[in-house]
């Protein structure tokens, strides 16, 4: 999961990665100065026990977000629940009661499709009960489809303090140029930051699919020692423009008006850059 979201791996390439043998800590920089601290403690029970018993104040003080990942095929669900409940009751509630909590029920692709929804709803109900009185958000995820991007895009949008301003400006921009849709993607991860839609679309997961396609295209560019800056896709029904928009974001503009030429769209995007520049800021966590 970490390699796909933050290291530009595609799903099939993760087969080459070994299991986490130690505790891996890394800092990921998002929009401008928003920093996410990642601690990968997979299988490190001794480390987790030490932190939970003797260094809770170090681990849980000033936490803005807790993202807890559950293996849907875990052999010891009860133990997983106990660890999670310990994080909530003796960590988050004591040191950071205002933190946002996200639970990812991961590796859902290993469950037969007919059973996935029922199993996820059951786990969600259990986790909500264990988290009381705190509120949580739960997502079913897999590296093999768009659900992982869907979950992390929603998490990212909640982490950005000025996302409301971004959405309002996207709406004004889309209305001004008569675009069907306008989206902002985070530059490094290509997660969806914000979007505005003026024309209904029947694929609710299209943004995450686009993210996956563009990331794979960026990887191909990197192999050719090229830098991905912009791309235009056009057919008889629509035209889509993806371009580097600010220092930290790409923009995607979708137009269905065949009379609008590419040069006009490019001019509008360039003129809008300074309008969005002051909202390309964030905090740290």
């Amino acid at each position: 999961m970490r390699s796909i979201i933050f290291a530009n791996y595609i799903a099939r390439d993760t087969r080459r990665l070994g299991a986490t043998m130690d505790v891996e800590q890394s800092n990921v920089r998002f929009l401008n100065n928003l920093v996410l601290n990642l601690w990968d403690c997979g299988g490190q029970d001794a480390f987790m026990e030490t932190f939970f018993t003797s260094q809770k104040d170090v681990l849980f003080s000033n936490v803005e977000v807790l993202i807890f990942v559950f293996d849907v095929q875990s052999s010891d669900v009860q133990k997983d629940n106990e660890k999670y409940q310990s994080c909530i009751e003796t960590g988050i509630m004591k040191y950071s009661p205002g933190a946002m909590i996200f639970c990812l029920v991961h590796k859902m692709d290993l469950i037969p499709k007919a059973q996935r929804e029922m199993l996820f709803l059951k786990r969600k109900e259990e986790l909500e009960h264990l988290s009381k009185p705190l509120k949580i958000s739960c997502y079913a995820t897999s590296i093999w489809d768009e659900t992982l991007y869907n979950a992390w895009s929603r998490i990212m949008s909640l982490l950005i303090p000025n996302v409301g301003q971004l959405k309002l400006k996207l709406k004004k921009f889309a209305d001004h140029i008569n675009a069907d849709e306008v989206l902002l993607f985070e530059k490094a991860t290509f997660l969806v930051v914000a979007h505005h839609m003026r024309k209904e679309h029947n694929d609710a997961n299209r943004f995450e699919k686009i993210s996956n396609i563009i990331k794979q295209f960026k990887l191909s560019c990197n192999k050719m020692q090229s830098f991905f800056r912009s791309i235009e896709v056009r057919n008889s029904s629509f035209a889509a423009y993806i371009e580097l928009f600010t220092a930290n974001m790409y923009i995607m503009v979708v137009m269905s008006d065949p009379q609008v030429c590419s040069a006009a769209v490019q001019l509008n995007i360039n003129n809008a850059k300074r309008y969005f520049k002051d909202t390309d800021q964030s905090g740290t966590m």
Side-chain angles (χ1 to χ4, degrees):
M1 178 189 295
R2 181 166 60 98
S3 297
I4 288 178
I5 297 296
F6 301 108
N8 291 325
Y9 276 71
I10 57 179
R12 65 174 179 268
D13 290 342
T14 60
R15 294 191 180 105
R16 304 198 307 262
L17 300 175
T20 303
M21 302 304 295
D22 201 351
V23 178
E24 298 181 7
Q25 193 269 340
S26 59
N27 297 327
V28 179
R29 185 172 295 275
F30 288 101
L31 301 170
N32 197 10
N33 62 341
L34 180 66
V35 179
L36 181 65
N37 297 313
L38 294 174
W39 291 76
D40 187 352
C41 311
Q44 306 303 312
D45 291 340
F47 174 84
M48 295 181 69
E49 290 295 334
T50 299
F51 259 62
F52 288 164
T53 56
S54 63
Q55 302 188 50
K56 291 179 183 177
D57 57 331
V58 175
L59 187 62
F60 293 107
S61 291
N62 302 314
V63 172
E64 296 290 338
V65 176
L66 171 68
I67 303 172
F68 206 104
V69 182
F70 294 88
D71 186 337
V72 73
Q73 283 199 326
S74 172
S75 59
D76 196 342
V77 174
Q78 181 63 31
K79 186 177 181 180
D80 294 344
N81 288 344
E82 290 174 356
K83 288 182 179 179
Y84 171 71
Q85 194 169 27
S86 176
C87 285
I88 298 299
E89 294 181 350
T90 63
I92 295 297
M93 291 181 65
K94 182 176 180 180
Y95 297 100
S96 303
M100 292 182 287
I101 303 170
F102 302 95
C103 295
L104 306 186
V105 183
H106 196 46
K107 300 182 181 179
M108 291 296 291
D109 56 285
L110 300 177
I111 305 299
K113 185 173 293 188
Q115 302 175 20
R116 291 177 190 174
E117 183 176 3
M118 181 179 65
L119 179 60
F120 171 68
L121 292 176
K122 180 181 178 181
R123 288 294 285 138
K124 179 182 178 182
E125 184 178 354
E126 292 175 352
L127 296 173
E128 288 175 340
H129 177 73
L130 294 172
S131 305
K132 290 181 177 180
L134 302 181
K135 300 294 184 180
I136 66 171
S137 298
C138 294
Y139 302 104
T141 60
S142 167
I143 66 172
W144 297 102
D145 58 30
E146 67 279 357
T147 56
L148 184 61
Y149 279 95
N150 185 23
W152 275 97
S153 292
R154 292 179 184 178
I155 292 172
M156 170 172 279
S157 68
L158 292 173
L159 298 184
I160 300 173
N162 57 4
V163 69
Q165 296 180 40
L166 286 174
K167 290 181 178 180
L168 180 60
K169 290 188 175 185
L170 281 181
K171 180 181 184 306
K172 291 181 179 179
F173 179 56
D175 291 342
H176 183 72
I177 67 173
N178 197 31
D180 293 350
E181 292 181 288
V182 182
L183 300 87
L184 291 176
F185 295 94
E186 199 276 326
K187 180 181 176 181
T189 63
F190 237 80
L191 294 168
V192 178
V193 174
H195 79 279
H196 178 71
M197 178 175 59
R198 298 177 68 245
K199 184 177 181 181
E200 293 295 327
H201 199 285
N202 58 9
D203 188 354
N205 295 315
R206 63 194 179 282
F207 304 150
E208 289 70 38
K209 292 177 181 177
I210 293 169
S211 293
N212 226 344
I213 292 170
I214 295 300
K215 287 192 72 173
Q216 294 186 47
F217 181 68
K218 286 176 65 179
L219 287 172
S220 299
C221 290
N222 292 341
K223 292 177 181 178
M224 301 295 294
Q225 296 184 337
S226 300
F227 175 71
F228 169 66
R229 182 175 182 86
S230 65
I231 187 172
E232 176 182 343
V233 179
R234 180 183 290 270
N235 61 23
S236 59
S237 302
F238 73 94
Y241 309 83
I242 300 177
E243 182 174 323
L244 184 62
F245 192 53
T246 69
N248 304 291
M249 291 186 291
Y250 279 85
I251 191 170
M252 176 176 176
V253 177
V254 180
M255 309 283 292
S256 59
D257 186 349
Q259 297 182 350
V260 177
C261 65
S262 300
V265 177
Q266 296 287 345
L267 180 62
N268 284 324
I269 291 175
N270 288 332
N271 288 337
K273 288 181 179 179
R274 60 180 179 270
Y275 180 60
F276 282 82
K277 186 176 181 180
D278 63 329
T279 52
D280 192 15
Q281 304 289 330
S282 292
T284 59
M285 59 186 60

